[in-house]
Amino acid sequence: MVLKFSIPIEPIPQPRARVTRNGTYQPAKIRAYKAIIRKAALAAMNGKPPMTGEIHCSIRLYRKYKSTSRRFGDCDNLYKAITDAMNEIVYKDDSQITKCTVEKFTAPSPLVEITL
């Protein structure tokens, strides 16, 4: 099974968990980003069960060009936010991914393209 879908959203890297006296938490911005990815993944799966076995993943990230900041984020942190969000929806666990390609581009509009 090949699954391909796109999300018109600015890619965000997975930050470190924040630690407080009450435990750890993720910032609201990354929680909202992952919720959007989960929603798109659910729609793309169209009611199918999560994939089993080894999975090959290709992620293409398009960031809107900003003249004030050229920082895009590390590939591994960008990848982690996306693959964690798809756990139990597209696959049972992201540990099933045996091969992954992550590419970063600047473009007129932000976009995340995922192919599994």
Side-chain angles (χ1 to χ4, degrees), residues 9 19 88 92 106:
I9 189 170
V19 181
E88 299 180 12
K92 292 188 184 266
T106 54

Side-chain angles (χ1 to χ4, degrees), residues 17-25:
R18 305 287 189 242
V19 181
T20 68
R21 291 181 199 162
N22 301 322
T24 61
Y25 72 96

Side-chain angles (χ1 to χ4, degrees), residues 5 9 16 28 50 73 90 104 107 110:
F5 61 101
I9 189 170
R16 290 187 180 163
V90 176
K104 302 186 299 186

Side-chain angles (χ1 to χ4, degrees), residues 28-89:
K29 185 176 179 179
I30 194 69
R31 286 195 318 265
Y33 177 69
K34 286 182 173 184
I36 292 167
I37 293 169
R38 278 192 295 277
K39 185 176 178 181
L42 276 168
M45 288 300 286
N46 198 24
K48 295 177 188 133
M51 295 177 185
T52 58
E54 294 182 354
I55 296 172
H56 294 186
C57 178
S58 174
I59 300 173
R60 294 174 59 98
L61 306 167
Y62 298 87
R63 178 179 180 226
K64 187 173 181 178
Y65 178 75
K66 299 175 183 173
S67 60
T68 57
S69 172
R70 294 187 181 186
R71 181 141 167 78
F72 201 140
D74 295 344
C75 281
D76 57 336
N77 293 329
L78 291 160
Y79 160 85
K80 183 162 181 49
I82 294 166
T83 56
D84 281 355
M86 294 189 295
N87 275 337
E88 299 180 12
I89 297 170

Side-chain angles (χ1 to χ4, degrees), residues 3 5 8 26 39 42 50 60 85 87 93 97 101 103 113:
L3 179 69
F5 61 101
Q26 293 184 8
K39 185 176 178 181
L42 276 168
R60 294 174 59 98
N87 275 337
D93 189 76
I97 298 172
T101 304
E103 297 176 279
E113 288 182 342

